[in-house]
Amino acid sequence: NPPSNVALMNALARDFAESGFDLNRWTWKRKRKHWQHPIQIVTPSKWLAECVRESALMRDWPVTVIPNPIDIERWKPVDQSLARQLLGLPKDVQLLLFGAAGGSSDPRKGFDLLKSALAHLHNEVDGLELVIFGQLKPECPPDLGFPVHYAGHLHDDLSLRILYCAADAFVLPSRQDNFPLTGMEALACATPVISFDTSGAPSMIEHLKTGYLAKPFDTTDLAAGIKWVLESKNIRSLCTLAREFAVKNFAPELIAAKYASVYRSVLANKD
């Protein structure tokens, strides 16, 4: 079973321990004192909605899940061969994409878990190469068992869109992530996503339809998910369904309509 939200929060608190004046506790007490009336909460994922329901401050407040919007006309498929040619990436290999702000340096993004999964894939997948964006090539790059291309920091949407389209799959090994924008962008570009079945990932990935949801933090299963997507005989269907899911769930006009409905409901119950 996925770890509880409380367990995840406690684990992260240990990783990012603070000392000195407890500002968090002071702030919490002020909120407890002054938040006397329920406020309508909107969260982008079911996971964060559950966090609200478990909160001592907001457990009785109304909460609605509405995904973040994405410009599905800006983020859309590009021919894979053309994308690889534009980026100077090899044409006849399978490319697995990983990316995050700070690249491999943020423990929440789970690069160490990906590294472990790749070790399980050694001698299991032929012709696999990894592409990493969000960081430059380190002076002493780690041995991941596969060739690695470092795309560096991409500062424009077009370059990132082309990179998603160049990849066969996008891996999102985060320990905790509410509703990762990179996952949304990859799906909109018709790139299947592999992640853990925890946090916000289940709200954006349909298991075995638009990607793969591995058992939380089980790197053997994450490796199995990567292999399943890359070797799937229905890879074209995965790509098509990924794009369709993004269009049906992240289009701005759909998200705006859902927010309008929430506002109308709140106003109707105001008195």
Side-chain angles (χ1 to χ4, degrees), residues 8-18 47 98-114 171-180 182 194-196 198-201 216-217 222:
L8 280 172
M9 295 296 188
N10 289 339
L12 285 173
R14 289 193 296 270
D15 290 339
F16 299 94
E18 299 174 352
W47 168 73
F98 166 81
S104 61
S105 63
D106 187 342
R108 292 172 299 180
K109 300 302 181 181
F111 181 77
D112 59 315
L113 299 175
L114 174 59
V171 61
L172 192 66
S174 302
R175 284 182 168 84
Q176 188 179 58
D177 220 332
N178 174 33
F179 204 72
T182 53
I194 304 115
S195 188
F196 291 116
T198 188
S199 299
F217 319 127
L222 185 66

Side-chain angles (χ1 to χ4, degrees), residues 242-257:
R243 171 65 183 175
E244 289 179 353
F245 183 86
V247 171
K248 292 178 181 178
N249 290 275
F250 308 146
E253 60 272 17
L254 299 177
I255 304 303

Side-chain angles (χ1 to χ4, degrees), residues 26 36 55 102 110 119 121 159 173 179 244:
W26 179 78
Q36 299 297 319
S55 166
L121 289 174
S159 297
F179 204 72
E244 289 179 353

Side-chain angles (χ1 to χ4, degrees), residues 43-211:
T43 69
S45 69
K46 295 177 182 177
W47 168 73
L48 195 56
E50 287 303 314
C51 290
V52 172
R53 296 185 182 104
E54 293 176 8
S55 166
L57 292 173
M58 297 176 285
R59 64 180 54 167
D60 297 323
W61 292 11
V63 57
T64 303
V65 178
I66 302 178
N68 294 324
I70 188 173
D71 187 341
I72 57 173
E73 291 305 315
R74 175 174 294 181
W75 302 97
K76 60 184 179 181
V78 173
D79 178 75
Q80 188 180 83
S81 296
L82 175 60
R84 294 189 180 192
Q85 180 181 350
L86 290 170
L87 296 172
L89 293 170
K91 295 181 179 181
D92 301 320
V93 301
Q94 292 180 311
L95 294 180
L96 178 66
L97 181 64
F98 166 81
S104 61
S105 63
D106 187 342
R108 292 172 299 180
K109 300 302 181 181
F111 181 77
D112 59 315
L113 299 175
L114 174 59
K115 185 177 179 181
S116 177
L118 291 173
H120 294 304
L121 289 174
H122 192 59
N123 297 325
E124 291 288 326
V125 178
D126 295 325
L128 174 63
E129 300 189 10
L130 187 67
V131 182
I132 297 176
F133 69 90
Q135 72 173 81
L136 298 172
K137 182 177 180 179
E139 291 186 9
C140 298
D143 182 6
L144 300 178
F146 298 92
V148 180
H149 306 269
Y150 289 90
H153 301 277
L154 302 178
H155 300 290
D156 64 279
D157 292 347
L158 180 57
S159 297
L160 188 51
R161 170 189 167 196
I162 294 172
L163 186 58
Y164 287 125
C165 296
D168 293 288
F170 178 64
V171 61
L172 192 66
S174 302
R175 284 182 168 84
Q176 188 179 58
D177 220 332
N178 174 33
F179 204 72
L181 181 60
T182 53
M184 297 172 64
E185 292 166 349
L187 291 171
C189 291
T191 303
V193 180
I194 304 115
S195 188
F196 291 116
D197 188 9
T198 188
S199 299
S203 291
M204 68 165 53
I205 301 168
E206 293 182 298
H207 186 54
L208 304 182
K209 292 182 179 180
T210 64

